[in-house]
Amino acid sequence: MEFVEQLKSQVDIVKTIGEYVRLKRLGSTGRYVGLCPFHQEKTPSFSVNQSRQWYHCFGCGVGGDVLKFVMEIDGLTFFEALKLLAERHGIPMPKRAGFSDEQSKLRGALYDIHLIAANLFQASLRAPQGAEARAYLAKRGVSAEMIETFALGYAEPSGQSLVRRLAQERFSPVDLDASGLVRKRDDGSRYDSFRGRLMFPIHDESGKVIAFGGRGMREEDQPKYLNSPETPIYRKTSVLYNLNRAKNGMRSSGRAVLVEGYMDVIGVYAAGIKEVVASCGTAFTEPQARKLHLHCDTVVINFDPDAAGADAAETKVIPRLLDEGLHVRVLALNGGLDPDEYVKQNGAEVYRVHLDSAAGYFHWLADRARARFDMRSAEGRMDAFKKVLMPAVEKLSDKLERAAVASDLADYLGVDRGVVLDQFKRAAADRRTPAPAAAPTGPAVPPLERMLLNALLASRVAREEILPGLSGAWIEDFVARDIFEALRAVSNATSGAAADSAADSDPNTGDAIAFRALEERLAPASQSLLRQIASADELTDGEVALEQARNCLHRMETGQRKRYLAALKAKVIAAQRNGQADEARSLALELMRAENAAAESTGASGGRISGNRA
Ligand SMILES: [Zn+2]
């Protein structure tokens, strides 16, 4: 597949993954680390290797090239990932039907349908029939600029405009029904799902329209908000409204502002706070928390001040954010206003000041507890502490922080500090259940073996000199034996003139092995091991690789010889002790010969493997 290789050579894996994950560069090694987007973690074990153009997670073992990453993170097929990357980089795709499959075709059609729908809704909002919706937006203080930015639209009440438009485009009935944007009557006729509603397109992280939220504008429009159902391109639980526009702001400010509704997002965004998102049409979920964490470390919750909003914040949102290891602040606006209304009434500046000084969630929780329990009695205060605050405090992973917060809160609520700390000790004892399962690391590869492998990966000359001698008994005990053997097979297959075209050419190492070919020969466990080895070590420079390989080999050989001599010596002593004079003599002779041989080869710069193994 030439095109795949061409695409990969033009796409930078660090840049692509960097769109989804905050990556930090490690020195000048061409390696980057970040939080793994595929498993929950608080410290980074996800590594991206720029020179080798691949990624690997030491926590959960995932890894691969840039295509694999895009497939996994966006839930795409191989073809779709190829298409997405080609589009993003302006690389024309070869028109080959063989690339496509049913699933990709369906999803491709759904993206098209959503784009057509978004354009149609936008046009309707501007047209005469959109007058009521425009008036509604004006009343809510949404500027023309925000209408444009958020691509707001209007779905006509007739229930026929989208259906008709899609019919012109000749989408198949299967595509139409899968889109969630049209419905089918018993008689087989179809009509629009959204009718007479203000339309909010929901985008995925890359900015494609994948769903809609529709807001009713009159009292009788029920429900007030109607959302797209789940479809092959829309998984509600992992989407955040406005993330496509917010992520850059989240990275530069280090925080996300989490609000409840579409209008809140627009209101806060209009106030110049671009790092604002909302979960759309679902309770806040774990995948959403993880998405936030990939772009920032602090989340400011600014929900509606009503009971439902506060309950959701306390019971669903705060615990999920804490579990994800995020810092949590709560902005409680006075006057019973939601964020959008607050910005309108008090202005962007005032809102911003409150936002910047939003307190940690503990005091907000404490205030809620105070309102709910009888704070005049000691039991009431203790209950408030145990039921509302304990669960949150316990989520703090840092012991000292936990103790500090607990005693601070005890003072705040008027509970005896000693009693509080006692409670914590007890809870901690209960929690002393098995530690979280260790990462699936597999057997550790000895340093010399690792260095040798890295050198061989980097240099063809090293492979040609070293690999033929690395066989049989010599590599029997290697932890990464499968990899060495695969390496030999690939190396043989591509040796000679063919090597130049087959190699995954890298400007620095020139003769680096073609990883894809190597991986194809390995079982998943060994693939993972290979990526682990290659990601963990400093990249070996092609120039010094041969030297490094020879040194490793020499040191391994020396180590082996030492072990062999020691074992032989032990045998001589045992034979003498047991009175086996003949046996002892012949062993001693063998030992002498071996020692002489060792002395001869010492100083040689690591020749071919020779001799016996203990
Ligand atoms: Zn992971």
Side-chain angles (χ1 to χ4, degrees):
M1 249 189 228
E2 258 170 48
F3 179 68
V4 175
E5 295 308 321
Q6 183 206 333
L7 180 103
K8 279 172 63 180
S9 70
Q10 284 175 261
V11 172
D12 180 7
I13 193 167
V14 173
K15 246 196 208 144
T16 303
I17 295 183
E19 294 268 312
Y20 302 83
V21 181
R22 272 178 300 155
L23 292 173
K24 219 191 264 163
R25 193 188 175 112
L26 286 186
S28 59
T29 58
R31 284 201 297 130
Y32 294 75
V33 292
L35 290 176
C36 178
F38 302 110
H39 84 280
Q40 193 171 347
E41 64 176 4
K42 294 175 187 177
T43 50
S45 52
F46 182 81
S47 151
V48 181
N49 191 317
Q50 190 161 39
S51 326
R52 288 184 176 147
Q53 290 286 305
W54 69 14
Y55 67 99
H56 175 73
C57 174
F58 292 88
C60 66
V62 298
D65 59 14
V66 68
L67 280 160
K68 174 96 177 296
F69 180 85
V70 173
M71 284 168 73
E72 301 266 307
I73 195 137
D74 285 336
L76 302 179
T77 62
F78 181 74
F79 171 73
E80 288 169 323
L82 210 55
K83 192 157 167 265
L84 179 87
L85 287 175
E87 275 170 12
R88 265 191 221 165
H89 292 82
I91 304 165
M93 285 273 281
K95 287 210 181 336
R96 241 185 293 162
F99 270 137
S100 198
D101 58 70
E102 284 311 307
Q103 208 190 351
S104 315
K105 277 188 208 148
L106 172 63
R107 277 206 289 235
L110 294 186
Y111 285 124
D112 291 345
I113 288 175
H114 278 77
L115 185 60
I116 289 169
N119 289 336
L120 179 77
F121 295 148
Q122 273 186 287
S124 300
L125 182 65
R126 288 186 213 112
Q129 65 267 33
E132 188 189 353
R134 287 199 303 273
Y136 174 85
L137 287 168
K139 197 179 80 192
R140 296 287 304 255
V142 181
S143 68
E145 193 195 341
M146 286 303 115
I147 291 174
E148 201 56 40
T149 300
F150 286 86
L152 303 186
Y154 174 63
E156 286 179 47
S158 71
Q160 283 303 310
S161 57
L162 181 59
V163 163
R164 246 183 258 134
R165 180 78 183 78
L166 294 175
Q168 288 167 7
E169 299 286 335
R170 301 182 188 284
F171 285 101
S172 77
V174 175
D175 296 342
L176 293 180
D177 293 336
S179 75
L181 300 181
V182 300
R183 290 187 197 160
K184 200 160 99 174
R185 293 194 190 87
D186 290 340
D187 67 4
S189 62
R190 290 186 172 78
Y191 61 100
D192 299 353
S193 303
F194 293 96
R195 299 176 302 281
R197 284 175 179 267
L198 185 61
M199 300 300 289
F200 299 82
I202 297 167
H203 300 83
D204 65 10
E205 237 178 294
S206 72
K208 277 189 181 161
V209 182
I210 52 172
F212 289 93
R215 193 193 197 286
M217 292 174 298
R218 300 174 190 173
E219 276 307 309
E220 65 268 26
D221 293 336
Q222 289 302 329
K224 191 162 112 184
Y225 278 100
L226 186 68
N227 287 295
S228 285
E230 298 235 326
T231 68
I233 60 169
Y234 180 47
R235 267 173 298 165
K236 274 183 196 204
T237 50
S238 59
V239 172
L240 287 158
Y241 181 61
N242 196 44
L243 185 59
N244 59 317
R245 283 172 290 256
K247 62 182 177 185
N248 288 336
M250 284 161 64
R251 285 174 190 223
S252 53
S253 68
R255 73 174 175 202
V257 180
L258 184 63
V259 297
E260 280 185 285
Y262 306 116
M263 292 302 281
D264 292 327
V265 167
I266 296 174
V268 171
Y269 192 94
I273 293 133
K274 307 214 158 153
E275 63 270 28
V276 59
V277 293
S279 66
C280 15
T282 60
F284 191 71
T285 63
E286 209 181 283
Q288 288 168 335
R290 195 170 309 156
K291 281 229 159 140
L292 292 177
H293 203 179
L294 295 177
H295 301 292
C296 63
D297 294 320
T298 300
V299 176
V300 186
I301 303 172
N302 185 194
F303 279 10
D304 291 356
D306 59 14
D311 283 347
E314 178 187 328
T315 61
K316 301 262 160 46
V317 183
I318 292 178
R320 296 223 159 106
L321 293 172
L322 292 176
D323 279 340
E324 179 56 41
L326 284 153
H327 301 292
V328 182
R329 301 181 163 274
V330 179
L331 173 58
L333 298 166
N334 39 24
L337 298 173
D338 66 31
D340 178 41
E341 293 162 343
Y342 190 92
V343 172
K344 302 269 145 60
Q345 281 196 16
N346 300 284
E349 251 338 286
V350 179
Y351 178 78
R352 204 193 279 269
V353 169
H354 281 293
L355 186 67
D356 291 342
S357 58
Y361 63 101
F362 284 118
H363 287 109
W364 179 78
L365 280 181
D367 288 336
R368 273 176 67 71
R370 279 174 171 223
R372 222 182 304 164
F373 295 89
D374 176 12
M375 300 306 285
R376 285 164 302 181
S377 76
E379 284 120 44
R381 291 195 294 269
M382 199 63 218
D383 269 356
F385 187 80
K386 268 206 260 183
K387 291 189 180 140
V388 180
L389 293 159
M390 275 275 283
V393 179
E394 279 183 314
K395 286 195 185 295
L396 293 173
S397 52
D398 188 288
K399 227 169 157 186
L400 289 175
E401 188 186 357
R402 214 161 50 219
V405 168
S407 72
D408 180 24
L409 285 173
D411 290 349
Y412 193 67
L413 289 174
V415 186
D416 185 339
R417 269 195 219 178
V419 179
V420 166
L421 290 176
D422 214 47
Q423 284 285 339
F424 270 103
K425 271 183 206 141
R426 228 175 291 162
D430 290 345
R431 250 182 304 128
R432 227 161 274 144
T433 36
T441 47
V445 180
L448 280 176
E449 195 180 322
R450 236 175 41 213
M451 283 167 66
L452 175 61
L453 184 59
N454 262 315
L456 296 181
L457 289 173
S459 152
R460 174 150 51 94
V461 184
R463 285 195 293 280
E464 281 170 3
E465 177 180 317
I466 306 289
L467 281 172
L470 269 188
S471 59
W474 175 238
I475 64 167
E476 205 167 75
D477 295 338
F478 276 26
V479 174
R481 194 177 96 184
D482 288 353
I483 300 176
F484 281 95
E485 277 175 354
L487 194 57
R488 183 175 28 239
V490 173
S491 183
N492 287 343
T494 58
S495 67
D500 297 322
S501 55
D504 236 3
S505 293
D506 178 312
N508 300 314
T509 55
D511 295 324
I513 194 84
F515 279 112
R516 193 174 262 273
L518 185 56
E519 279 199 306
E520 274 166 7
R521 288 177 191 262
L522 294 169
S526 295
Q527 287 181 2
S528 177
L529 191 62
L530 169 67
R531 286 192 298 260
Q532 227 174 83
I533 293 170
S535 310
D537 283 337
E538 306 276 308
L539 255 190
T540 306
D541 192 320
E543 303 265 305
V544 302
L546 179 60
E547 190 79 4
Q548 178 177 323
R550 282 176 180 160
N551 280 335
C552 286
L553 218 52
H554 180 59
R555 283 161 65 192
M556 285 166 123
E557 207 174 10
T558 310
Q560 250 183 14
R561 191 171 291 125
K562 268 190 195 150
R563 282 193 296 278
Y564 173 67
L565 292 177
L568 206 53
K569 240 177 236 169
K571 276 190 201 163
V572 174
I573 293 168
Q576 284 169 342
R577 197 181 294 145
N578 296 336
Q580 300 163 299
D582 289 350
E583 174 79 1
R585 205 170 307 123
S586 81
L587 280 168
L589 200 64
E590 196 183 331
L591 177 63
M592 206 174 70
R593 279 198 207 111
E595 277 173 342
N596 285 343
E600 261 169 44
S601 76
T602 306
S605 70
R608 235 11 94 66
I609 311 308
S610 61
N612 305 313
R613 299 188 71 232

